[in-house]
Amino acid sequence: MTGESNGNLESCFKIPEIKFTKLFINGEFVNSISGKTFESIDSRTEEVIANISEGDKEDVDLAVQVARQAFDNGPWPRLPGSERRNIMLKFADLIDENLEEMAALDTLDAANLYSFGKAVQIHSGAELIRYYAGAADKVHGETLKMSRDLHGYTLVEPIGVVGHIIPWNFPTQMFVMKVGPALAAGCTMVVKPAEQTPLSALYFAYLAKQAGVPDGVINVVTGFGPSVGAAISSHMDIDMVSFTGSTVTGHKVMEAAATSNLKVVSLELGGKSPFIVFNDADVDTIAPLALTACLFNQGQICVAGSRLFVQEGIYDKFLNKLLEEVAKWVVGDPFDPNVHQGPQIDKKQYDKVLSYIEHGKREGATLLTGGKPLDRKGYYIEPTIFTDVTDDMTIAKDEIFGPVMSVMKFKSIEEVIKRANKTKYGLAAGIMTNDMNIANTVSRSLKAGTIWINCYFAFDNDLAVGGYKSSGFGKDMGMDAFHKYFQLKSIATPIYNSPWL
């Protein structure tokens, strides 16, 4: 059975002081207009971390007014790109200087593994800010070869005021993925962090101000989706909204944008990604990767490889190796460096995951291992593996966002392509094979925005991510994300007596 961590970490780790709990508007921390607050809960202990200012529509209106003023009349969009670059580089340096505290906030607030945050995640966030800082002074239009006596060219201009609505699963990464390219482009913005994980976004806003980002450029309004998120999506003075979250909410964002001012929308939504293992794959290498692809961050990752397809020639051997690996998987306090999996984000998500496990049992899937909550305080669930799963079962169709894997056997390339694509989602996929002909055929046949061959979670600053179908549209990461925060203006003027067009 899965290992469990029971160590008391308080003696070796000091929980960080919560410095920022108010809205951040126009460079200042302020109470919400209503004065209301909500509780941020530690999912490890089910105890209150802090009381956070609860924003509402009136607070969004104020933040948008400030962001509009900063865009229309402020310095940020008008600075030379090199100056924006230098400020952003300072911002990235400050993130690195506060790395341990930022990692601790994400562990406390989101149950991200502290060891991963400290070693990888926070510094990667700083590096992404540096990546986009390097793009800030490389914005180019084109000179056009017109077909008649006209001189034509294009200008690339920042799109304006952007609303960022970010999810709770990776607070740091989601913040920098949205804010980084928008900052570099010269936009101003209103950020709504998830109500479950507001702490790091407020800290980032503070660091940005210390780095020299002008007041009004980054505003953070904490609160709930039906109030703050809806106000951002429908606001008549926001030019674009960038949302990462569930497909259900993505529909609401899209509808609000359409019925307000037809603002530009970018959506990175749900997924039910296939992880496909062919007969020639190295079982000892790929089985641990398959486990991580599904269970990392408690399965709370949009590209989780939760549908594991294994070719029949190695199916039994692969399953045995999977069981061997999951037996080593340690569930416990995410501050513990020996832990692989922490708690689910909150009681609602915890109950949702457990209900899906019951669906799997009722619909006839075989529960191979796990399937139960841990007998301890906190929202901990055992890593769960089902076999004998059919494509029409609920656990094979729905995004569970929890530590639940469905293992399915397949015979042929044609069969697995058809089954892998039999989903409304199209966010990511993994292909495990040593045959590049198979890899090329399958990667070109899958309807998904990111394909990993013989790897998984192979993210990089330069690699755009985004979905097909109900997984949304628009890209994060890479230069594609930078370009989406611009709009193109075409200009033409007559030319007379020119020796050539």
Side-chain angles (χ1 to χ4, degrees):
M1 178 43 69
T2 307
E4 182 180 344
S5 166
N6 293 299
N8 182 0
L9 300 175
E10 298 303 322
S11 60
C12 61
F13 185 85
K14 185 177 184 299
I15 298 297
E17 176 191 356
I18 306 305
K19 299 175 181 176
F20 308 118
T21 60
K22 299 179 180 181
L23 314 184
F24 187 81
I25 298 176
N26 203 23
E28 301 290 339
F29 286 102
V30 297
N31 290 316
S32 61
I33 292 173
S34 69
K36 292 191 297 184
T37 63
F38 64 95
E39 295 178 341
S40 181
I41 303 296
D42 185 344
S43 59
R44 303 171 309 137
T45 64
E46 304 177 41
E47 296 173 357
V48 176
I49 303 168
N51 290 297
I52 309 296
S53 288
E54 182 182 337
D56 210 329
K57 181 181 182 301
E58 292 76 17
D59 301 286
V60 173
D61 288 341
L62 178 59
V64 173
Q65 180 183 346
V66 165
R68 173 57 61 193
Q69 176 69 17
F71 184 79
D72 288 349
N73 301 300
W76 189 249
R78 294 159 187 84
L79 287 177
S82 58
E83 292 190 32
R84 284 202 302 275
R85 175 198 65 204
N86 292 341
I87 292 172
M88 291 180 67
L89 290 174
K90 176 61 176 174
F91 181 26
D93 290 343
L94 289 173
I95 294 172
D96 275 336
E97 289 173 18
N98 292 272
L99 184 149
E100 290 192 13
E101 188 168 4
M102 296 302 304
L105 285 178
D106 281 354
T107 302
L108 192 63
D109 220 16
N112 293 163
L113 294 179
Y114 179 67
S115 58
F116 177 74
K118 187 176 174 182
V120 177
Q121 186 166 250
I122 306 303
H123 178 65
S124 294
E127 284 294 286
L128 189 58
I129 294 293
R130 292 186 180 103
Y131 174 85
Y132 287 116
D137 61 350
K138 299 171 184 66
V139 179
H140 308 293
E142 292 182 317
T143 301
L144 307 175
K145 185 68 173 177
M146 309 289 270
S147 62
R148 53 199 183 96
D149 294 342
L150 293 170
H151 172 57
Y153 60 97
T154 60
L155 294 177
V156 181
E157 300 178 342
I159 200 164
V161 177
V162 180
H164 296 298
I165 305 174
I166 58 179
W168 44 257
N169 53 342
F170 291 101
T172 286
Q173 195 63 27
M174 295 301 168
F175 184 93
V176 296
M177 280 170 59
K178 303 292 190 187
V179 170
L183 269 182
C187 296
T188 63
M189 60 210 72
V190 178
V191 182
K192 182 214 170 290
E195 57 268 24
Q196 296 89 343
T197 55
L199 299 180
S200 59
L202 294 168
Y203 205 116
F204 279 125
Y206 166 77
L207 293 180
K209 178 179 174 67
Q210 303 310 302
V213 174
D215 293 348
V217 173
I218 299 177
N219 305 277
V220 179
V221 180
T222 51
F224 295 89
S227 51
V228 177
I232 288 173
S233 302
S234 61
H235 205 286
M236 295 297 291
D237 213 17
I238 287 180
D239 302 299
M240 175 184 177
V241 61
S242 180
F243 169 79
T244 296
S246 73
T247 297
V248 170
T249 305
H251 279 275
K252 296 178 181 177
V253 171
M254 189 86 175
E255 182 179 355
T259 55
S260 55
N261 61 343
L262 285 175
K263 59 179 64 65
V264 175
V265 176
S266 177
L267 301 174
E268 199 266 276
L269 307 176
K272 194 69 177 176
S273 300
F275 188 106
I276 305 169
V277 186
F278 288 91
N279 282 334
D280 65 337
D282 183 338
V283 171
D284 289 342
T285 301
I286 300 304
L289 180 62
L291 200 66
T292 301
C294 181
L295 301 182
F296 182 66
N297 202 46
Q298 300 77 259
Q300 297 172 154
I301 180 167
C302 53
V303 295
S306 56
R307 290 188 297 150
L308 175 59
F309 291 95
V310 183
Q311 200 163 14
E312 60 182 0
I314 60 167
Y315 181 84
D316 292 337
K317 181 180 179 181
F318 196 92
L319 212 56
N320 288 334
K321 183 63 178 175
L322 205 61
L323 283 172
E324 180 184 320
E325 291 299 320
V326 78
K328 306 173 190 175
W329 196 263
V330 179
V331 181
D333 192 319
F335 279 111
D336 186 336
N338 299 310
V339 161
H340 300 96
Q341 177 187 321
Q344 307 310 125
I345 187 67
D346 60 15
K347 182 67 161 58
K348 180 180 178 181
Q349 186 65 20
Y350 171 84
D351 289 340
K352 175 185 172 184
V353 173
L354 291 174
S355 73
Y356 271 113
I357 291 171
E358 293 305 312
H359 269 297
K361 293 177 185 177
R362 285 197 303 270
E363 292 181 3
T366 299
L367 181 61
L368 190 66
T369 187
K372 300 188 297 296
L374 267 61
D375 185 18
R376 61 180 291 178
K377 201 167 189 180
Y379 305 122
Y380 296 92
I381 297 175
E382 294 176 337
T384 301
I385 301 176
F386 282 101
T387 58
D388 302 314
V389 179
T390 58
D391 298 328
D392 59 348
M393 288 182 178
T394 302
I395 59 171
K397 294 189 300 182
D398 289 4
E399 182 182 42
I400 299 173
F401 231 57
V404 181
M405 173 187 285
S406 297
V407 186
M408 294 167 276
K409 186 189 297 185
F410 73 94
K411 293 182 178 181
S412 66
I413 296 174
E414 294 75 18
E415 176 197 344
V416 78
I417 289 171
K418 182 177 179 181
R419 293 176 66 190
N421 283 332
K422 192 179 179 183
T423 172
K424 67 181 180 179
Y425 298 112
L427 198 52
I431 303 167
M432 309 299 140
T433 178
N434 293 316
D435 187 328
M436 287 311 295
N437 288 325
I438 292 176
N440 286 330
T441 297
V442 178
S443 62
R444 285 161 170 75
S445 301
L446 295 179
K447 296 180 175 67
T450 303
I451 311 291
W452 289 301
I453 300 173
N454 295 326
C455 59
Y456 211 79
F457 297 145
F459 295 107
D460 187 84
N461 292 342
D462 211 37
L463 187 74
V465 295
Y468 284 22
K469 303 189 288 186
S470 288
S471 291
F473 50 83
K475 299 295 184 181
D476 289 318
M477 309 284 281
M479 293 306 292
D480 293 275
F482 180 54
H483 294 145
K484 78 181 181 183
Y485 292 104
F486 291 98
Q487 51 191 352
L488 190 70
K489 179 181 289 181
S490 297
I491 299 176
T493 183
I495 53 175
Y496 302 101
N497 302 319
S498 175
W500 53 75
L501 293 178

mmCIF file of all heavy atoms in Angstrom, residues 8-14:
data_model
loop_
_atom_site.group_PDB
_atom_site.id
_atom_site.type_symbol
_atom_site.label_atom_id
_atom_site.label_comp_id
_atom_site.label_asym_id
_atom_site.label_seq_id
_atom_site.Cartn_x
_atom_site.Cartn_y
_atom_site.Cartn_z
ATOM 1 N N ASN A 8 6.338 15.247 12.181
ATOM 2 C CA ASN A 8 6.025 16.595 12.621
ATOM 3 C C ASN A 8 7.088 17.537 12.076
ATOM 4 O O ASN A 8 8.256 17.449 12.436
ATOM 5 C CB ASN A 8 6.004 16.645 14.152
ATOM 6 C CG ASN A 8 5.625 18.017 14.671
ATOM 7 O OD1 ASN A 8 5.380 18.944 13.895
ATOM 8 N ND2 ASN A 8 5.555 18.143 15.985
ATOM 9 N N LEU A 9 6.674 18.442 11.193
ATOM 10 C CA LEU A 9 7.640 19.303 10.513
ATOM 11 C C LEU A 9 7.813 20.648 11.189
ATOM 12 O O LEU A 9 8.669 21.427 10.794
ATOM 13 C CB LEU A 9 7.187 19.520 9.068
ATOM 14 C CG LEU A 9 7.057 18.255 8.226
ATOM 15 C CD1 LEU A 9 6.481 18.610 6.878
ATOM 16 C CD2 LEU A 9 8.390 17.555 8.075
ATOM 17 N N GLU A 10 6.995 20.937 12.183
ATOM 18 C CA GLU A 10 7.029 22.272 12.768
ATOM 19 C C GLU A 10 8.399 22.602 13.375
ATOM 20 O O GLU A 10 8.827 23.750 13.406
ATOM 21 C CB GLU A 10 5.936 22.408 13.840
ATOM 22 C CG GLU A 10 4.523 22.230 13.290
ATOM 23 C CD GLU A 10 4.187 23.196 12.172
ATOM 24 O OE1 GLU A 10 4.605 24.361 12.255
ATOM 25 O OE2 GLU A 10 3.521 22.785 11.215
ATOM 26 N N SER A 11 9.091 21.556 13.857
ATOM 27 C CA SER A 11 10.381 21.787 14.491
ATOM 28 C C SER A 11 11.482 22.118 13.487
ATOM 29 O O SER A 11 12.500 22.690 13.847
ATOM 30 C CB SER A 11 10.788 20.551 15.303
ATOM 31 O OG SER A 11 10.890 19.424 14.445
ATOM 32 N N CYS A 12 11.287 21.720 12.221
ATOM 33 C CA CYS A 12 12.337 21.946 11.232
ATOM 34 C C CYS A 12 11.940 22.951 10.161
ATOM 35 O O CYS A 12 12.728 23.260 9.284
ATOM 36 C CB CYS A 12 12.740 20.621 10.570
ATOM 37 S SG CYS A 12 11.392 19.808 9.688
ATOM 38 N N PHE A 13 10.706 23.448 10.216
ATOM 39 C CA PHE A 13 10.270 24.417 9.208
ATOM 40 C C PHE A 13 9.372 25.460 9.847
ATOM 41 O O PHE A 13 8.431 25.128 10.549
ATOM 42 C CB PHE A 13 9.529 23.724 8.067
ATOM 43 C CG PHE A 13 9.171 24.691 6.971
ATOM 44 C CD1 PHE A 13 10.087 24.999 5.983
ATOM 45 C CD2 PHE A 13 7.946 25.333 6.956
ATOM 46 C CE1 PHE A 13 9.785 25.919 5.008
ATOM 47 C CE2 PHE A 13 7.637 26.250 5.978
ATOM 48 C CZ PHE A 13 8.569 26.544 5.002
ATOM 49 N N LYS A 14 9.680 26.696 9.584
ATOM 50 C CA LYS A 14 8.891 27.797 10.135
ATOM 51 C C LYS A 14 7.890 28.283 9.085
ATOM 52 O O LYS A 14 8.263 28.651 7.982
ATOM 53 C CB LYS A 14 9.814 28.952 10.547
ATOM 54 C CG LYS A 14 9.090 30.099 11.246
ATOM 55 C CD LYS A 14 10.075 31.159 11.695
ATOM 56 C CE LYS A 14 9.382 32.259 12.485
ATOM 57 N NZ LYS A 14 8.376 32.961 11.700
#
